[in-house]
Amino acid sequence: MSKATQAFSGAAQTPEGMVYNGALFQPVIDKCEGCGRVREFEGVQYCSSYPMPAAKWSMGICNFSTHARVNSGGSQAKVNPLKASKRSAKGR
């Protein structure tokens, strides 16, 4: 049994998308290409974690994606100046 068959066993294809466990899954979008959660069902690719992939990408990077990561920018976290002065006084 393939991954897609295991992931969506009991699913049904409809004109709007795929119905699985009472949820309507919509096909993945181009930003989902390369994600490890994408599964194919009857020739169409769907996300195995979230039914509406376009909604997850609308506000930035999808938090379920396995191929895209948020860049931290390399900046350090801000340090409270009072705590920093106490640490330096202790010799840390």
Side-chain angles (χ1 to χ4, degrees):
M1 196 178 270
S2 70
K3 277 185 176 181
T5 308
Q6 291 173 353
F8 297 122
S9 61
Q13 191 71 29
T14 65
E16 294 84 28
M18 175 188 63
V19 177
Y20 177 66
N21 284 343
L24 178 65
F25 281 70
Q26 296 174 350
V28 296
I29 59 173
D30 59 341
K31 293 179 182 179
C32 296
E33 294 294 324
C35 183
R37 299 180 194 273
V38 173
R39 302 286 184 260
E40 190 169 321
F41 180 75
E42 294 185 6
V44 183
Q45 293 185 335
Y46 296 96
C47 179
S48 62
S49 296
Y50 196 73
M52 294 182 289
K56 287 304 262 185
W57 285 97
S58 66
M59 299 298 285
I61 294 178
C62 173
N63 61 326
F64 290 128
S65 71
T66 60
H67 64 295
R69 296 285 175 225
V70 176
N71 291 336
S72 63
S75 64
Q76 295 280 339
K78 289 203 170 204
V79 177
N80 185 339
L82 183 60
K83 287 184 179 181
S85 67
K86 287 182 180 180
R87 286 184 186 141
S88 65
K90 282 187 176 180
R92 286 196 222 173

